[in-house]
Amino acid sequence: VIQREDGIRVYTYRWNDAGTDAELLDSAGERHFDVGGEPRVWHFPSRSECLTCHNEAAGRFLGWKTAQLDRGVTLGAVTGSQLDLWAKLGILGASPEPVAPYPKPDDATVSVAARARAVLDVNCATCHRPGGPPVTEHDLRYETTLAETGVCEKEPQEGSFGVAGEKLLVPGSPEQSILLLRMKTLGELRMPGGSHVVDEQAVGLVTDWIAGLPGCE
């Protein structure tokens, strides 16, 4: 993603087989790998695909959020805020305003609900937020209440798994919740888009969260 005076431009490059140069792609593509004996697919997005996630509502330039990075770390003999340490090292121009960090997915001292919502924010809220791509009317940002997300007990706008009683999210019923089913599958109905590997930890968290929901409030 490149910022220019007339707006942003997006480009996708792919290394050649010799690894000596990267070629500019005119359209989407895929490359297949073997990783530890398991097949893997790397998707090269087209320029229009790039703009789906690098949308204006998400700020165009995507990356780590302060809530993911603002946590305590130890660097050599120094312990403190990771962002403060980066500022002292010159990696950042200045420390951003502190925020409450997102919980780690494996932190059992934090509720499943908080961890699941953090997973949805990081993986889904780039598009699923106010002003996002026009096919979405949902808000999966971390701070949005469940009732205001627009997914609880809502009919799907696109895509169906053919499950009786399916909706975007059915409290207490992970097997009927399309939000979760999209995370568990590969192919056209998969979310997050462009991913070819199921995040089992994220799936487990969201499954437990939905199973424990008594309702949409």
Short mmCIF file of all heavy atoms in Angstrom, two decimals, residues 54-108:
data_model
loop_
_atom_site.label_atom_id
_atom_site.label_comp_id
_atom_site.label_asym_id
_atom_site.label_seq_id
_atom_site.Cartn_x
_atom_site.Cartn_y
_atom_site.Cartn_z
N HIS A 54 -8.24 -2.98 3.00
CA HIS A 54 -7.62 -1.67 3.18
C HIS A 54 -8.64 -0.60 2.82
O HIS A 54 -8.41 0.24 1.94
CB HIS A 54 -6.37 -1.54 2.30
CG HIS A 54 -5.22 -2.39 2.75
ND1 HIS A 54 -4.31 -1.97 3.70
CD2 HIS A 54 -4.84 -3.64 2.40
CE1 HIS A 54 -3.40 -2.92 3.91
NE2 HIS A 54 -3.71 -3.94 3.13
N ASN A 55 -9.78 -0.67 3.50
CA ASN A 55 -10.88 0.25 3.18
C ASN A 55 -10.75 1.54 3.99
O ASN A 55 -10.01 1.62 4.97
CB ASN A 55 -12.23 -0.42 3.41
CG ASN A 55 -12.40 -0.91 4.84
OD1 ASN A 55 -12.60 -0.11 5.75
ND2 ASN A 55 -12.31 -2.22 5.04
N GLU A 56 -11.52 2.53 3.57
CA GLU A 56 -11.42 3.84 4.20
C GLU A 56 -11.86 3.81 5.66
O GLU A 56 -11.27 4.47 6.52
CB GLU A 56 -12.27 4.85 3.42
CG GLU A 56 -12.13 6.27 3.91
CD GLU A 56 -12.84 7.26 3.02
OE1 GLU A 56 -13.35 6.86 1.96
OE2 GLU A 56 -12.89 8.46 3.39
N ALA A 57 -12.90 3.02 5.96
CA ALA A 57 -13.41 2.96 7.34
C ALA A 57 -12.36 2.41 8.30
O ALA A 57 -12.31 2.79 9.47
CB ALA A 57 -14.66 2.10 7.40
N ALA A 58 -11.49 1.52 7.80
CA ALA A 58 -10.45 0.91 8.64
C ALA A 58 -9.17 1.74 8.65
O ALA A 58 -8.19 1.34 9.28
CB ALA A 58 -10.15 -0.50 8.16
N GLY A 59 -9.16 2.85 7.93
CA GLY A 59 -7.99 3.71 7.93
C GLY A 59 -6.99 3.39 6.84
O GLY A 59 -5.88 3.92 6.84
N ARG A 60 -7.37 2.50 5.90
CA ARG A 60 -6.53 2.14 4.74
C ARG A 60 -5.28 1.36 5.12
O ARG A 60 -5.01 0.30 4.58
CB ARG A 60 -6.14 3.40 3.95
CG ARG A 60 -7.26 4.11 3.26
CD ARG A 60 -7.91 3.28 2.19
NE ARG A 60 -8.88 4.04 1.40
CZ ARG A 60 -9.72 3.48 0.54
NH1 ARG A 60 -9.73 2.17 0.38
NH2 ARG A 60 -10.54 4.23 -0.15
N PHE A 61 -4.47 1.88 6.06
CA PHE A 61 -3.23 1.21 6.41
C PHE A 61 -3.47 0.31 7.61
O PHE A 61 -3.74 0.79 8.71
CB PHE A 61 -2.12 2.24 6.70
CG PHE A 61 -1.69 2.98 5.48
CD1 PHE A 61 -2.32 4.16 5.12
CD2 PHE A 61 -0.69 2.48 4.68
CE1 PHE A 61 -1.94 4.83 3.97
CE2 PHE A 61 -0.30 3.15 3.53
CZ PHE A 61 -0.93 4.34 3.17
N LEU A 62 -3.38 -0.98 7.40
CA LEU A 62 -3.73 -1.95 8.43
C LEU A 62 -2.47 -2.47 9.12
O LEU A 62 -1.40 -2.55 8.52
CB LEU A 62 -4.50 -3.12 7.82
CG LEU A 62 -5.71 -2.74 6.97
CD1 LEU A 62 -6.37 -3.99 6.41
CD2 LEU A 62 -6.70 -1.92 7.77
N GLY A 63 -2.62 -2.85 10.35
CA GLY A 63 -1.49 -3.40 11.08
C GLY A 63 -1.89 -3.67 12.51
O GLY A 63 -3.07 -3.73 12.85
N TRP A 64 -0.89 -3.81 13.37
CA TRP A 64 -1.16 -4.05 14.77
C TRP A 64 -1.89 -2.85 15.37
O TRP A 64 -1.63 -1.71 15.02
CB TRP A 64 0.15 -4.26 15.53
CG TRP A 64 0.94 -5.42 15.08
CD1 TRP A 64 2.06 -5.40 14.32
CD2 TRP A 64 0.67 -6.80 15.35
NE1 TRP A 64 2.52 -6.66 14.10
CE2 TRP A 64 1.68 -7.55 14.72
CE3 TRP A 64 -0.32 -7.45 16.07
CZ2 TRP A 64 1.73 -8.93 14.78
CZ3 TRP A 64 -0.28 -8.84 16.14
CH2 TRP A 64 0.74 -9.56 15.51
N LYS A 65 -2.80 -3.14 16.31
CA LYS A 65 -3.49 -2.08 17.04
C LYS A 65 -2.78 -1.83 18.35
O LYS A 65 -2.11 -2.70 18.90
CB LYS A 65 -4.94 -2.50 17.30
CG LYS A 65 -5.75 -2.73 16.03
CD LYS A 65 -7.18 -3.07 16.37
CE LYS A 65 -7.99 -3.27 15.10
NZ LYS A 65 -9.43 -3.53 15.39
N THR A 66 -2.95 -0.61 18.86
CA THR A 66 -2.32 -0.26 20.13
C THR A 66 -2.72 -1.25 21.21
O THR A 66 -1.90 -1.64 22.05
CB THR A 66 -2.71 1.17 20.54
OG1 THR A 66 -2.37 2.07 19.49
CG2 THR A 66 -1.99 1.58 21.81
N ALA A 67 -3.99 -1.68 21.21
CA ALA A 67 -4.47 -2.61 22.24
C ALA A 67 -3.81 -3.98 22.14
O ALA A 67 -3.82 -4.74 23.12
CB ALA A 67 -5.98 -2.76 22.13
N GLN A 68 -3.24 -4.31 21.00
CA GLN A 68 -2.50 -5.56 20.87
C GLN A 68 -1.07 -5.42 21.36
O GLN A 68 -0.46 -6.41 21.77
CB GLN A 68 -2.48 -6.02 19.41
CG GLN A 68 -3.83 -6.45 18.85
CD GLN A 68 -3.75 -6.73 17.37
OE1 GLN A 68 -3.94 -5.84 16.55
NE2 GLN A 68 -3.46 -7.97 17.02
N LEU A 69 -0.54 -4.24 21.30
CA LEU A 69 0.88 -4.02 21.57
C LEU A 69 1.17 -3.39 22.92
O LEU A 69 2.29 -3.48 23.42
CB LEU A 69 1.49 -3.14 20.48
CG LEU A 69 1.44 -3.70 19.06
CD1 LEU A 69 1.92 -2.65 18.07
CD2 LEU A 69 2.28 -4.96 18.95
N ASP A 70 0.19 -2.71 23.50
CA ASP A 70 0.43 -1.96 24.74
C ASP A 70 0.37 -2.92 25.93
O ASP A 70 -0.62 -3.01 26.64
CB ASP A 70 -0.60 -0.85 24.90
CG ASP A 70 -0.19 0.15 25.96
OD1 ASP A 70 0.91 -0.01 26.52
OD2 ASP A 70 -0.95 1.10 26.21
N ARG A 71 1.46 -3.64 26.15
CA ARG A 71 1.53 -4.60 27.25
C ARG A 71 2.97 -4.64 27.78
O ARG A 71 3.91 -4.19 27.12
CB ARG A 71 1.08 -5.99 26.80
CG ARG A 71 1.85 -6.56 25.64
CD ARG A 71 1.24 -7.90 25.21
NE ARG A 71 -0.04 -7.74 24.55
CZ ARG A 71 -1.22 -8.08 25.07
NH1 ARG A 71 -1.29 -8.60 26.27
NH2 ARG A 71 -2.33 -7.92 24.41
N GLY A 72 3.13 -5.18 28.96
CA GLY A 72 4.45 -5.22 29.58
C GLY A 72 5.35 -6.27 28.97
O GLY A 72 4.92 -7.38 28.66
N VAL A 73 6.60 -5.91 28.77
CA VAL A 73 7.60 -6.83 28.23
C VAL A 73 8.92 -6.60 28.95
O VAL A 73 9.13 -5.59 29.61
CB VAL A 73 7.81 -6.63 26.71
CG1 VAL A 73 6.54 -6.94 25.93
CG2 VAL A 73 8.29 -5.22 26.41
N THR A 74 9.81 -7.57 28.78
CA THR A 74 11.18 -7.44 29.30
C THR A 74 12.14 -7.49 28.13
O THR A 74 12.13 -8.43 27.33
CB THR A 74 11.50 -8.56 30.30
OG1 THR A 74 10.61 -8.46 31.42
CG2 THR A 74 12.94 -8.44 30.78
N LEU A 75 12.96 -6.44 28.03
CA LEU A 75 13.95 -6.36 26.95
C LEU A 75 15.31 -6.17 27.61
O LEU A 75 15.64 -5.09 28.09
CB LEU A 75 13.62 -5.20 26.02
CG LEU A 75 14.50 -5.04 24.78
CD1 LEU A 75 14.37 -6.25 23.87
CD2 LEU A 75 14.15 -3.78 24.01
N GLY A 76 16.07 -7.27 27.66
CA GLY A 76 17.34 -7.22 28.38
C GLY A 76 17.09 -7.03 29.86
O GLY A 76 16.36 -7.78 30.48
N ALA A 77 17.67 -5.95 30.40
CA ALA A 77 17.50 -5.67 31.83
C ALA A 77 16.36 -4.69 32.10
O ALA A 77 16.14 -4.30 33.24
CB ALA A 77 18.80 -5.10 32.40
N VAL A 78 15.64 -4.30 31.05
CA VAL A 78 14.59 -3.28 31.18
C VAL A 78 13.22 -3.94 31.07
O VAL A 78 12.97 -4.74 30.16
CB VAL A 78 14.73 -2.20 30.10
CG1 VAL A 78 13.64 -1.15 30.25
CG2 VAL A 78 16.11 -1.55 30.18
N THR A 79 12.34 -3.63 31.97
CA THR A 79 10.97 -4.12 31.94
C THR A 79 10.02 -2.92 31.93
O THR A 79 10.21 -1.97 32.69
CB THR A 79 10.65 -5.01 33.16
OG1 THR A 79 11.51 -6.15 33.14
CG2 THR A 79 9.20 -5.47 33.14
N GLY A 80 9.02 -2.99 31.09
CA GLY A 80 8.06 -1.88 31.03
C GLY A 80 7.12 -2.04 29.87
O GLY A 80 7.02 -3.12 29.27
N SER A 81 6.43 -0.97 29.53
CA SER A 81 5.50 -0.97 28.41
C SER A 81 6.27 -1.20 27.11
O SER A 81 7.28 -0.54 26.85
CB SER A 81 4.75 0.36 28.33
OG SER A 81 4.17 0.53 27.06
N GLN A 82 5.79 -2.13 26.30
CA GLN A 82 6.45 -2.41 25.03
C GLN A 82 6.52 -1.16 24.15
O GLN A 82 7.56 -0.87 23.53
CB GLN A 82 5.69 -3.52 24.30
CG GLN A 82 6.25 -3.86 22.93
CD GLN A 82 5.63 -5.11 22.36
OE1 GLN A 82 6.31 -6.10 22.14
NE2 GLN A 82 4.33 -5.07 22.11
N LEU A 83 5.46 -0.39 24.11
CA LEU A 83 5.44 0.79 23.26
C LEU A 83 6.37 1.88 23.79
O LEU A 83 7.01 2.59 23.01
CB LEU A 83 4.01 1.32 23.13
CG LEU A 83 3.03 0.36 22.43
CD1 LEU A 83 1.64 0.96 22.38
CD2 LEU A 83 3.51 0.00 21.03
N ASP A 84 6.46 2.01 25.11
CA ASP A 84 7.41 2.97 25.68
C ASP A 84 8.84 2.57 25.33
O ASP A 84 9.68 3.43 24.99
CB ASP A 84 7.26 3.04 27.20
CG ASP A 84 5.99 3.77 27.63
OD1 ASP A 84 5.40 4.46 26.79
OD2 ASP A 84 5.59 3.62 28.79
N LEU A 85 9.14 1.28 25.42
CA LEU A 85 10.49 0.81 25.07
C LEU A 85 10.79 1.06 23.61
O LEU A 85 11.89 1.47 23.24
CB LEU A 85 10.61 -0.68 25.40
CG LEU A 85 10.61 -1.04 26.88
CD1 LEU A 85 10.64 -2.56 27.05
CD2 LEU A 85 11.81 -0.41 27.60
N TRP A 86 9.81 0.82 22.75
CA TRP A 86 10.02 1.07 21.32
C TRP A 86 10.29 2.55 21.06
O TRP A 86 11.10 2.91 20.20
CB TRP A 86 8.81 0.61 20.53
CG TRP A 86 8.73 -0.88 20.39
CD1 TRP A 86 9.59 -1.81 20.89
CD2 TRP A 86 7.73 -1.63 19.70
NE1 TRP A 86 9.19 -3.08 20.56
CE2 TRP A 86 8.06 -3.00 19.83
CE3 TRP A 86 6.58 -1.28 19.00
CZ2 TRP A 86 7.29 -4.01 19.28
CZ3 TRP A 86 5.81 -2.28 18.44
CH2 TRP A 86 6.15 -3.63 18.58
N ALA A 87 9.57 3.42 21.79
CA ALA A 87 9.79 4.86 21.62
C ALA A 87 11.21 5.24 22.04
O ALA A 87 11.89 6.03 21.38
CB ALA A 87 8.76 5.64 22.42
N LYS A 88 11.69 4.66 23.15
CA LYS A 88 13.04 4.95 23.62
C LYS A 88 14.09 4.45 22.63
O LYS A 88 15.17 5.03 22.50
CB LYS A 88 13.26 4.32 24.99
CG LYS A 88 12.44 4.97 26.09
CD LYS A 88 12.63 4.26 27.42
CE LYS A 88 11.79 4.90 28.51
NZ LYS A 88 11.92 4.19 29.82
N LEU A 89 13.80 3.35 21.96
CA LEU A 89 14.74 2.80 20.98
C LEU A 89 14.65 3.52 19.64
O LEU A 89 15.45 3.24 18.73
CB LEU A 89 14.46 1.31 20.77
CG LEU A 89 14.78 0.40 21.96
CD1 LEU A 89 14.23 -1.01 21.70
CD2 LEU A 89 16.28 0.34 22.19
N GLY A 90 13.68 4.41 19.47
CA GLY A 90 13.53 5.13 18.22
C GLY A 90 12.70 4.41 17.18
O GLY A 90 12.58 4.88 16.05
N ILE A 91 12.13 3.27 17.55
CA ILE A 91 11.27 2.55 16.61
C ILE A 91 9.98 3.33 16.39
O ILE A 91 9.44 3.37 15.28
CB ILE A 91 10.96 1.13 17.15
CG1 ILE A 91 12.27 0.34 17.30
CG2 ILE A 91 9.99 0.40 16.24
CD1 ILE A 91 12.09 -1.00 17.97
N LEU A 92 9.49 3.98 17.46
CA LEU A 92 8.34 4.87 17.36
C LEU A 92 8.79 6.29 17.65
O LEU A 92 9.71 6.51 18.44
CB LEU A 92 7.26 4.47 18.38
CG LEU A 92 6.63 3.09 18.25
CD1 LEU A 92 5.65 2.85 19.39
CD2 LEU A 92 5.92 2.94 16.90
N GLY A 93 8.13 7.25 17.02
CA GLY A 93 8.48 8.64 17.27
C GLY A 93 8.13 9.05 18.68
O GLY A 93 8.82 9.87 19.31
N ALA A 94 7.03 8.50 19.20
CA ALA A 94 6.59 8.80 20.57
C ALA A 94 5.65 7.69 21.00
O ALA A 94 5.07 6.98 20.17
CB ALA A 94 5.90 10.16 20.63
N SER A 95 5.47 7.56 22.29
CA SER A 95 4.54 6.55 22.80
C SER A 95 3.11 7.03 22.57
O SER A 95 2.78 8.17 22.89
CB SER A 95 4.76 6.33 24.30
OG SER A 95 6.05 5.83 24.55
N PRO A 96 2.25 6.17 22.03
CA PRO A 96 0.84 6.55 21.87
C PRO A 96 0.15 6.60 23.22
O PRO A 96 0.69 6.12 24.23
CB PRO A 96 0.28 5.44 20.99
CG PRO A 96 1.15 4.26 21.26
CD PRO A 96 2.52 4.83 21.52
N GLU A 97 -1.03 7.17 23.24
CA GLU A 97 -1.80 7.20 24.48
C GLU A 97 -2.07 5.77 24.93
O GLU A 97 -2.46 4.92 24.13
CB GLU A 97 -3.12 7.93 24.26
CG GLU A 97 -2.98 9.43 24.09
CD GLU A 97 -2.45 10.11 25.34
OE1 GLU A 97 -2.86 9.70 26.46
OE2 GLU A 97 -1.62 11.02 25.22
N PRO A 98 -1.87 5.45 26.21
CA PRO A 98 -2.07 4.08 26.69
C PRO A 98 -3.54 3.67 26.60
O PRO A 98 -4.44 4.50 26.76
CB PRO A 98 -1.59 4.13 28.14
CG PRO A 98 -1.71 5.57 28.54
CD PRO A 98 -1.42 6.36 27.29
N VAL A 99 -3.77 2.40 26.30
CA VAL A 99 -5.12 1.85 26.24
C VAL A 99 -5.12 0.53 27.00
O VAL A 99 -4.07 -0.04 27.28
CB VAL A 99 -5.58 1.61 24.78
CG1 VAL A 99 -5.60 2.91 23.99
CG2 VAL A 99 -4.68 0.58 24.10
N ALA A 100 -6.32 0.05 27.31
CA ALA A 100 -6.42 -1.26 27.94
C ALA A 100 -6.08 -2.32 26.89
O ALA A 100 -6.70 -2.35 25.82
CB ALA A 100 -7.83 -1.48 28.47
N PRO A 101 -5.09 -3.16 27.15
CA PRO A 101 -4.68 -4.14 26.13
C PRO A 101 -5.74 -5.22 25.94
O PRO A 101 -6.48 -5.57 26.87
CB PRO A 101 -3.39 -4.74 26.71
CG PRO A 101 -3.50 -4.53 28.18
CD PRO A 101 -4.24 -3.24 28.36
N TYR A 102 -5.82 -5.74 24.71
CA TYR A 102 -6.68 -6.89 24.46
C TYR A 102 -6.16 -8.09 25.24
O TYR A 102 -4.94 -8.26 25.39
CB TYR A 102 -6.69 -7.25 22.98
CG TYR A 102 -7.43 -6.28 22.08
CD1 TYR A 102 -7.23 -6.29 20.72
CD2 TYR A 102 -8.34 -5.37 22.60
CE1 TYR A 102 -7.91 -5.42 19.88
CE2 TYR A 102 -9.01 -4.49 21.78
CZ TYR A 102 -8.80 -4.52 20.41
OH TYR A 102 -9.47 -3.65 19.60
N PRO A 103 -7.03 -8.94 25.73
CA PRO A 103 -6.56 -10.14 26.44
C PRO A 103 -5.92 -11.12 25.47
O PRO A 103 -6.30 -11.20 24.29
CB PRO A 103 -7.85 -10.72 27.04
CG PRO A 103 -8.94 -10.24 26.13
CD PRO A 103 -8.50 -8.86 25.69
N LYS A 104 -4.95 -11.86 25.96
CA LYS A 104 -4.32 -12.89 25.15
C LYS A 104 -5.29 -14.06 24.98
O LYS A 104 -6.03 -14.39 25.92
CB LYS A 104 -3.03 -13.36 25.79
CG LYS A 104 -1.95 -12.29 25.90
CD LYS A 104 -0.70 -12.85 26.56
CE LYS A 104 0.37 -11.78 26.68
NZ LYS A 104 1.60 -12.32 27.33
N PRO A 105 -5.30 -14.71 23.83
CA PRO A 105 -6.25 -15.81 23.61
C PRO A 105 -6.13 -16.94 24.62
O PRO A 105 -7.12 -17.61 24.93
CB PRO A 105 -5.90 -16.30 22.20
CG PRO A 105 -5.26 -15.14 21.54
CD PRO A 105 -4.50 -14.42 22.62
N ASP A 106 -4.92 -17.16 25.16
CA ASP A 106 -4.71 -18.29 26.07
C ASP A 106 -4.69 -17.88 27.54
O ASP A 106 -4.32 -18.67 28.41
CB ASP A 106 -3.41 -19.01 25.73
CG ASP A 106 -2.19 -18.10 25.82
OD1 ASP A 106 -2.37 -16.87 26.03
OD2 ASP A 106 -1.06 -18.61 25.68
N ASP A 107 -5.13 -16.65 27.85
CA ASP A 107 -5.12 -16.17 29.23
C ASP A 107 -6.41 -16.61 29.92
O ASP A 107 -7.45 -15.95 29.82
CB ASP A 107 -4.99 -14.65 29.26
CG ASP A 107 -4.81 -14.11 30.67
OD1 ASP A 107 -4.95 -14.90 31.63
OD2 ASP A 107 -4.54 -12.91 30.81
N ALA A 108 -6.33 -17.70 30.65
CA ALA A 108 -7.52 -18.27 31.30
C ALA A 108 -8.03 -17.43 32.45
O ALA A 108 -9.12 -17.70 32.97
CB ALA A 108 -7.21 -19.69 31.78
#
